[in-house]
Amino acid sequence: MLENIRLSFQGIWSHKMRSFLTMLGIIIGIASIISIVSTIKGTNEEIKNSLIGSGNNTVNVLLYEKGYTMEIYSNSQKPFGIPQVSEETRSEILKLDSVENVTCFTERRNMEGVFYRDKAISSGAIRGIDKSYFDTVGYRLKTGRIFLEDDGKKFRKVVILDQNAAEALFGDENPIGKTMEISEEPFTVVGVVESESNYETTITNISQYYSAQESALSGVFIPKECWPIAYAYDEPEKVVVKARSTDDMEEAGQKVQKILNATISPKQEEVKYKADNLLEKARDMQKLSAATNNQLIWIASISLLVGGIGVMNIMLVSVTERTSEIGLKKAIGARKGTILGQFLTEAAVLTSMGGMLGVAAGIGMAQVINRVSGVAVSIDIVASVIAVLFSMLIGIIFGLLPSVKAANLNPIDALRRE
Amino acid sequence: MILKLDHIYKDYIQGKMTVPVLKDVCLHVEEGEYVAIMGPSGSGKSTLMNIIGCLDRPTQGTYELAGQDVLALNEKKLADVRLNRIGFVFQNFQLLPRMSALDNVALPLVYAGVRKRVRRERAREALVRVGLEDRTGFNPTQLSGGQKQRVAIARAMVNTPKILLADEPTGALDSKSSKQVMELFAQLNEEGVTVVMITHDPGIAGHAKRIMDIFDGEISRHGEVFR
Ligand SMILES: Nc1ncnc2c1ncn2[C@@H]1O[C@H](COP(=O)(O)OP(=O)(O)OP(=O)(O)O)[C@@H](O)[C@H]1O
Ligand SMILES: [Mg+2]
């Protein structure tokens, strides 16, 4: 076998030009497939990253009413039977393997009561947050300080703004230490935070997507203990969990959703917690982009077919050319199977080499596509290996006919030929 | 009896005509004999030789090689007979052009599944025996006709077969090279190898211990062992 492979290389090398031309069809076919696969994979990763926010891995577990996200705009509209997340529920969630951190917060999406002098915030959210909110969701302190334990305990009326809110309310002014108004109560600004993850806001087609919105809108944060000061009552909370890894997100979301729903009163049948399934959304979008590219793969496969036929053609010529060699080998004791194996190996080696060159060319092409059109590409090792194996298979399939022909040659006819 | 062919017929179908090439040929060769077969061109010498060498099957007749009915064997077994029991030498050498002399000689050992190191060793020894130890790395194109034929003989004998078949081994050689080849054949025969050789040249045939004549597909003289 090794001997056969060595001889095949010798044969290919002694007809460099011809071998290369034979391989060309395979090279082109594999190269186009690899570059298409690279673009698909690149696009997929881009979609996934822009949805998930690379490295953030947070999953929103929000309240839904009849399939729509439920927002609370006024005290009268609060759903019944949904308790605040208790300390036990919280630690139950934190015990999950897939969960790294969790935060629960109350939220209003109407900013009508939020002022600084004559300035207001047009759109955004005000949240009553716990101590793990900034870590979990991914904010870092820009100026001032974050909330202290005492802020909550002593019901201090302090507020932290994100950079959008700070800009909207204070412009160039330094907000720290200033007093602003929330729902007719004075609050002192103690800090400004900024979002750590840079969400790509390029995803316009699912603009309703919560997380993407969030980063574009203003955020105003107060300690959750102070929430009743501004809004009179406690109210149901929203939950964000941070999964250990991107792969854990789906599981974490599902489990947390289950835990939270178990706390809801059985009489409350309309409003339930539901985890965002980002990966599912990503997959849907990926499917869409892959569908168009899959057609390209079929077209590239045709060139592989043509390449395979080319290999068959050259192999047939080669068998005719080497008739006397085959006859001699049979005369000195080579079995039919040996000859068959020799030619099959030769075809397989030839097309495998074509496959490897094709993969190399495909990777090169993908880089060029990336440079020229800016489409994201990502090399798929598995696809490359499959491509080489597949070209080997092409060699074996299309080499079969010529090899059988060689193996069946009558040694006398073969030797007589001069 | 190492070769026992009886009532061998061989016909070729040529369009609608059947061309009889061998007609009732009986050929008996004892172990250790050295036989030359002579006859005019087209008399069926090569056809007979191919049947003896298990490369071709007769239309009719029986053939026992060392007591074994080879006509009953399947193709795989026939290949093994060619590999282990018969050495072949051709008029036009039939060396593979892109391989060194050593690799050419080692080829039958590849088919016999001999390990590479052993293979090279034995091929070298075979080349030493034909006096070409200094040409092992040469390609056939770099060898003279006589040298090529000696490489071919080394290849035929590398598997130590009991029978050596040669179809006009000196047909393409000058007298000096022919003499060297004849010396090798005599030496091999001395060591117990049964040699069957086809030739046109009475001088070459004279090296054999028995001369058979074939004429128009029939053996016209079985010859006496005269040495
Ligand atoms: N494949 C074939 N088809 C038809 N006829 C054939 C075939 N092979 C050989 N013959 C015929 O058989 C006859 C004997 O051929 P063969 O090669 O045995 O002769 P030969 O004695 O070896 O001649 P030479 O001395 O010229 O080599 C010739 O007439 C030839 O035309
Ligand atoms: Mg002849």
Side-chain angles (χ1 to χ4, degrees), chain A residues 75-95:
Chain A
N75 287 340
S76 59
Q77 183 217 348
K78 272 166 52 183
F80 71 94
I82 301 170
Q84 288 220 298
V85 180
S86 68
E87 204 47 48
E88 292 88 77
T89 311
R90 223 184 113 81
S91 52
E92 192 183 344
I93 290 171
L94 278 172
K95 258 183 231 143

PDB file of all heavy atoms in Angstrom, chain A residues 75-95:
ATOM      1  N   ASN A  75     -48.803  51.830  37.980  1.00  0.00           N
ATOM      2  CA  ASN A  75     -49.043  50.967  39.126  1.00  0.00           C
ATOM      3  C   ASN A  75     -50.320  50.151  38.974  1.00  0.00           C
ATOM      4  O   ASN A  75     -50.398  49.022  39.450  1.00  0.00           O
ATOM      5  CB  ASN A  75     -49.135  51.807  40.395  1.00  0.00           C
ATOM      6  CG  ASN A  75     -47.751  52.302  40.777  1.00  0.00           C
ATOM      7  OD1 ASN A  75     -46.753  51.735  40.341  1.00  0.00           O
ATOM      8  ND2 ASN A  75     -47.693  53.365  41.557  1.00  0.00           N
ATOM      9  N   SER A  76     -51.291  50.709  38.293  1.00  0.00           N
ATOM     10  CA  SER A  76     -52.579  50.026  38.188  1.00  0.00           C
ATOM     11  C   SER A  76     -52.507  48.788  37.307  1.00  0.00           C
ATOM     12  O   SER A  76     -53.351  47.921  37.365  1.00  0.00           O
ATOM     13  CB  SER A  76     -53.617  50.997  37.622  1.00  0.00           C
ATOM     14  OG  SER A  76     -53.171  51.424  36.355  1.00  0.00           O
ATOM     15  N   GLN A  77     -51.455  48.722  36.500  1.00  0.00           N
ATOM     16  CA  GLN A  77     -51.409  47.704  35.451  1.00  0.00           C
ATOM     17  C   GLN A  77     -50.637  46.465  35.897  1.00  0.00           C
ATOM     18  O   GLN A  77     -50.431  45.545  35.118  1.00  0.00           O
ATOM     19  CB  GLN A  77     -50.726  48.405  34.254  1.00  0.00           C
ATOM     20  CG  GLN A  77     -50.584  47.670  32.984  1.00  0.00           C
ATOM     21  CD  GLN A  77     -49.267  48.031  32.346  1.00  0.00           C
ATOM     22  OE1 GLN A  77     -48.583  48.982  32.757  1.00  0.00           O
ATOM     23  NE2 GLN A  77     -48.885  47.279  31.340  1.00  0.00           N
ATOM     24  N   LYS A  78     -50.198  46.451  37.144  1.00  0.00           N
ATOM     25  CA  LYS A  78     -49.366  45.344  37.611  1.00  0.00           C
ATOM     26  C   LYS A  78     -50.110  44.008  37.614  1.00  0.00           C
ATOM     27  O   LYS A  78     -51.234  43.929  38.076  1.00  0.00           O
ATOM     28  CB  LYS A  78     -48.883  45.642  39.034  1.00  0.00           C
ATOM     29  CG  LYS A  78     -47.602  46.428  39.065  1.00  0.00           C
ATOM     30  CD  LYS A  78     -47.333  46.983  40.428  1.00  0.00           C
ATOM     31  CE  LYS A  78     -47.396  45.904  41.501  1.00  0.00           C
ATOM     32  NZ  LYS A  78     -47.192  46.519  42.825  1.00  0.00           N
ATOM     33  N   PRO A  79     -49.491  42.934  37.090  1.00  0.00           N
ATOM     34  CA  PRO A  79     -50.142  41.628  37.116  1.00  0.00           C
ATOM     35  C   PRO A  79     -50.140  41.067  38.539  1.00  0.00           C
ATOM     36  O   PRO A  79     -49.236  41.360  39.315  1.00  0.00           O
ATOM     37  CB  PRO A  79     -49.271  40.782  36.205  1.00  0.00           C
ATOM     38  CG  PRO A  79     -47.927  41.415  36.297  1.00  0.00           C
ATOM     39  CD  PRO A  79     -48.136  42.870  36.535  1.00  0.00           C
ATOM     40  N   PHE A  80     -51.129  40.253  38.847  1.00  0.00           N
ATOM     41  CA  PHE A  80     -51.193  39.693  40.203  1.00  0.00           C
ATOM     42  C   PHE A  80     -50.472  38.351  40.254  1.00  0.00           C
ATOM     43  O   PHE A  80     -50.240  37.713  39.223  1.00  0.00           O
ATOM     44  CB  PHE A  80     -52.663  39.513  40.616  1.00  0.00           C
ATOM     45  CG  PHE A  80     -53.334  38.391  39.878  1.00  0.00           C
ATOM     46  CD1 PHE A  80     -53.390  37.111  40.417  1.00  0.00           C
ATOM     47  CD2 PHE A  80     -53.901  38.619  38.623  1.00  0.00           C
ATOM     48  CE1 PHE A  80     -53.992  36.074  39.728  1.00  0.00           C
ATOM     49  CE2 PHE A  80     -54.511  37.590  37.940  1.00  0.00           C
ATOM     50  CZ  PHE A  80     -54.553  36.312  38.489  1.00  0.00           C
ATOM     51  N   GLY A  81     -50.109  37.939  41.436  1.00  0.00           N
ATOM     52  CA  GLY A  81     -49.599  36.580  41.642  1.00  0.00           C
ATOM     53  C   GLY A  81     -48.169  36.354  41.216  1.00  0.00           C
ATOM     54  O   GLY A  81     -47.723  35.219  41.135  1.00  0.00           O
ATOM     55  N   ILE A  82     -47.451  37.421  40.902  1.00  0.00           N
ATOM     56  CA  ILE A  82     -46.048  37.238  40.536  1.00  0.00           C
ATOM     57  C   ILE A  82     -45.189  37.906  41.606  1.00  0.00           C
ATOM     58  O   ILE A  82     -45.074  39.123  41.644  1.00  0.00           O
ATOM     59  CB  ILE A  82     -45.752  37.835  39.157  1.00  0.00           C
ATOM     60  CG1 ILE A  82     -46.655  37.153  38.120  1.00  0.00           C
ATOM     61  CG2 ILE A  82     -44.289  37.639  38.795  1.00  0.00           C
ATOM     62  CD1 ILE A  82     -46.631  37.816  36.791  1.00  0.00           C
ATOM     63  N   PRO A  83     -44.595  37.062  42.478  1.00  0.00           N
ATOM     64  CA  PRO A  83     -43.829  37.648  43.576  1.00  0.00           C
ATOM     65  C   PRO A  83     -42.475  38.157  43.103  1.00  0.00           C
ATOM     66  O   PRO A  83     -42.022  37.804  42.009  1.00  0.00           O
ATOM     67  CB  PRO A  83     -43.653  36.459  44.523  1.00  0.00           C
ATOM     68  CG  PRO A  83     -43.622  35.274  43.617  1.00  0.00           C
ATOM     69  CD  PRO A  83     -44.523  35.594  42.464  1.00  0.00           C
ATOM     70  N   GLN A  84     -41.851  38.953  43.939  1.00  0.00           N
ATOM     71  CA  GLN A  84     -40.465  39.334  43.655  1.00  0.00           C
ATOM     72  C   GLN A  84     -39.594  38.101  43.841  1.00  0.00           C
ATOM     73  O   GLN A  84     -39.969  37.159  44.533  1.00  0.00           O
ATOM     74  CB  GLN A  84     -40.044  40.430  44.622  1.00  0.00           C
ATOM     75  CG  GLN A  84     -40.722  41.761  44.312  1.00  0.00           C
ATOM     76  CD  GLN A  84     -39.766  42.909  44.492  1.00  0.00           C
ATOM     77  OE1 GLN A  84     -39.278  43.134  45.584  1.00  0.00           O
ATOM     78  NE2 GLN A  84     -39.519  43.646  43.438  1.00  0.00           N
ATOM     79  N   VAL A  85     -38.434  38.106  43.218  1.00  0.00           N
ATOM     80  CA  VAL A  85     -37.549  36.948  43.306  1.00  0.00           C
ATOM     81  C   VAL A  85     -36.950  36.901  44.707  1.00  0.00           C
ATOM     82  O   VAL A  85     -36.284  37.849  45.135  1.00  0.00           O
ATOM     83  CB  VAL A  85     -36.442  37.033  42.241  1.00  0.00           C
ATOM     84  CG1 VAL A  85     -35.518  35.823  42.350  1.00  0.00           C
ATOM     85  CG2 VAL A  85     -37.054  37.105  40.857  1.00  0.00           C
ATOM     86  N   SER A  86     -37.226  35.788  45.396  1.00  0.00           N
ATOM     87  CA  SER A  86     -36.767  35.690  46.779  1.00  0.00           C
ATOM     88  C   SER A  86     -35.291  35.298  46.822  1.00  0.00           C
ATOM     89  O   SER A  86     -34.716  34.867  45.807  1.00  0.00           O
ATOM     90  CB  SER A  86     -37.589  34.642  47.508  1.00  0.00           C
ATOM     91  OG  SER A  86     -37.279  33.373  46.976  1.00  0.00           O
ATOM     92  N   GLU A  87     -34.701  35.442  47.991  1.00  0.00           N
ATOM     93  CA  GLU A  87     -33.292  35.093  48.166  1.00  0.00           C
ATOM     94  C   GLU A  87     -33.082  33.597  47.899  1.00  0.00           C
ATOM     95  O   GLU A  87     -32.066  33.190  47.333  1.00  0.00           O
ATOM     96  CB  GLU A  87     -32.848  35.468  49.588  1.00  0.00           C
ATOM     97  CG  GLU A  87     -31.358  35.697  49.744  1.00  0.00           C
ATOM     98  CD  GLU A  87     -30.764  36.598  48.656  1.00  0.00           C
ATOM     99  OE1 GLU A  87     -31.328  37.690  48.364  1.00  0.00           O
ATOM    100  OE2 GLU A  87     -29.760  36.186  48.075  1.00  0.00           O
ATOM    101  N   GLU A  88     -34.092  32.743  48.252  1.00  0.00           N
ATOM    102  CA  GLU A  88     -33.972  31.296  48.027  1.00  0.00           C
ATOM    103  C   GLU A  88     -33.956  30.990  46.521  1.00  0.00           C
ATOM    104  O   GLU A  88     -33.141  30.215  46.035  1.00  0.00           O
ATOM    105  CB  GLU A  88     -35.149  30.524  48.653  1.00  0.00           C
ATOM    106  CG  GLU A  88     -35.183  30.526  50.173  1.00  0.00           C
ATOM    107  CD  GLU A  88     -35.929  31.737  50.726  1.00  0.00           C
ATOM    108  OE1 GLU A  88     -37.174  31.717  50.690  1.00  0.00           O
ATOM    109  OE2 GLU A  88     -35.258  32.703  51.158  1.00  0.00           O
ATOM    110  N   THR A  89     -34.895  31.611  45.816  1.00  0.00           N
ATOM    111  CA  THR A  89     -34.949  31.400  44.370  1.00  0.00           C
ATOM    112  C   THR A  89     -33.626  31.808  43.732  1.00  0.00           C
ATOM    113  O   THR A  89     -33.077  31.121  42.867  1.00  0.00           O
ATOM    114  CB  THR A  89     -36.090  32.229  43.770  1.00  0.00           C
ATOM    115  OG1 THR A  89     -37.263  32.009  44.533  1.00  0.00           O
ATOM    116  CG2 THR A  89     -36.329  31.853  42.322  1.00  0.00           C
ATOM    117  N   ARG A  90     -33.131  32.943  44.197  1.00  0.00           N
ATOM    118  CA  ARG A  90     -31.861  33.455  43.686  1.00  0.00           C
ATOM    119  C   ARG A  90     -30.734  32.442  43.875  1.00  0.00           C
ATOM    120  O   ARG A  90     -29.978  32.154  42.936  1.00  0.00           O
ATOM    121  CB  ARG A  90     -31.517  34.720  44.467  1.00  0.00           C
ATOM    122  CG  ARG A  90     -30.999  35.846  43.661  1.00  0.00           C
ATOM    123  CD  ARG A  90     -30.625  36.968  44.605  1.00  0.00           C
ATOM    124  NE  ARG A  90     -29.195  37.119  44.542  1.00  0.00           N
ATOM    125  CZ  ARG A  90     -28.612  37.796  43.573  1.00  0.00           C
ATOM    126  NH1 ARG A  90     -29.327  38.384  42.644  1.00  0.00           N
ATOM    127  NH2 ARG A  90     -27.310  37.889  43.528  1.00  0.00           N
ATOM    128  N   SER A  91     -30.634  31.877  45.081  1.00  0.00           N
ATOM    129  CA  SER A  91     -29.521  30.953  45.304  1.00  0.00           C
ATOM    130  C   SER A  91     -29.763  29.640  44.566  1.00  0.00           C
ATOM    131  O   SER A  91     -28.819  28.969  44.152  1.00  0.00           O
ATOM    132  CB  SER A  91     -29.279  30.728  46.798  1.00  0.00           C
ATOM    133  OG  SER A  91     -30.478  30.371  47.419  1.00  0.00           O
ATOM    134  N   GLU A  92     -31.038  29.279  44.381  1.00  0.00           N
ATOM    135  CA  GLU A  92     -31.332  28.088  43.582  1.00  0.00           C
ATOM    136  C   GLU A  92     -30.816  28.270  42.150  1.00  0.00           C
ATOM    137  O   GLU A  92     -30.232  27.367  41.550  1.00  0.00           O
ATOM    138  CB  GLU A  92     -32.840  27.831  43.578  1.00  0.00           C
ATOM    139  CG  GLU A  92     -33.234  26.478  43.026  1.00  0.00           C
ATOM    140  CD  GLU A  92     -34.750  26.296  42.977  1.00  0.00           C
ATOM    141  OE1 GLU A  92     -35.481  27.075  43.638  1.00  0.00           O
ATOM    142  OE2 GLU A  92     -35.198  25.391  42.262  1.00  0.00           O
ATOM    143  N   ILE A  93     -31.044  29.458  41.630  1.00  0.00           N
ATOM    144  CA  ILE A  93     -30.576  29.762  40.274  1.00  0.00           C
ATOM    145  C   ILE A  93     -29.050  29.725  40.223  1.00  0.00           C
ATOM    146  O   ILE A  93     -28.445  29.152  39.316  1.00  0.00           O
ATOM    147  CB  ILE A  93     -31.102  31.139  39.817  1.00  0.00           C
ATOM    148  CG1 ILE A  93     -32.613  31.066  39.576  1.00  0.00           C
ATOM    149  CG2 ILE A  93     -30.385  31.613  38.564  1.00  0.00           C
ATOM    150  CD1 ILE A  93     -33.267  32.404  39.331  1.00  0.00           C
ATOM    151  N   LEU A  94     -28.433  30.324  41.230  1.00  0.00           N
ATOM    152  CA  LEU A  94     -26.967  30.400  41.226  1.00  0.00           C
ATOM    153  C   LEU A  94     -26.323  29.021  41.364  1.00  0.00           C
ATOM    154  O   LEU A  94     -25.180  28.830  40.978  1.00  0.00           O
ATOM    155  CB  LEU A  94     -26.488  31.313  42.360  1.00  0.00           C
ATOM    156  CG  LEU A  94     -26.525  32.802  42.028  1.00  0.00           C
ATOM    157  CD1 LEU A  94     -26.237  33.631  43.261  1.00  0.00           C
ATOM    158  CD2 LEU A  94     -25.533  33.138  40.918  1.00  0.00           C
ATOM    159  N   LYS A  95     -27.087  28.050  41.890  1.00  0.00           N
ATOM    160  CA  LYS A  95     -26.535  26.705  42.052  1.00  0.00           C
ATOM    161  C   LYS A  95     -26.437  25.969  40.710  1.00  0.00           C
ATOM    162  O   LYS A  95     -25.733  24.980  40.593  1.00  0.00           O
ATOM    163  CB  LYS A  95     -27.413  25.901  43.021  1.00  0.00           C
ATOM    164  CG  LYS A  95     -26.797  25.810  44.425  1.00  0.00           C
ATOM    165  CD  LYS A  95     -27.659  24.946  45.319  1.00  0.00           C
ATOM    166  CE  LYS A  95     -27.983  25.654  46.635  1.00  0.00           C
ATOM    167  NZ  LYS A  95     -29.340  25.361  47.092  1.00  0.00           N
TER     168      LYS A  95
END
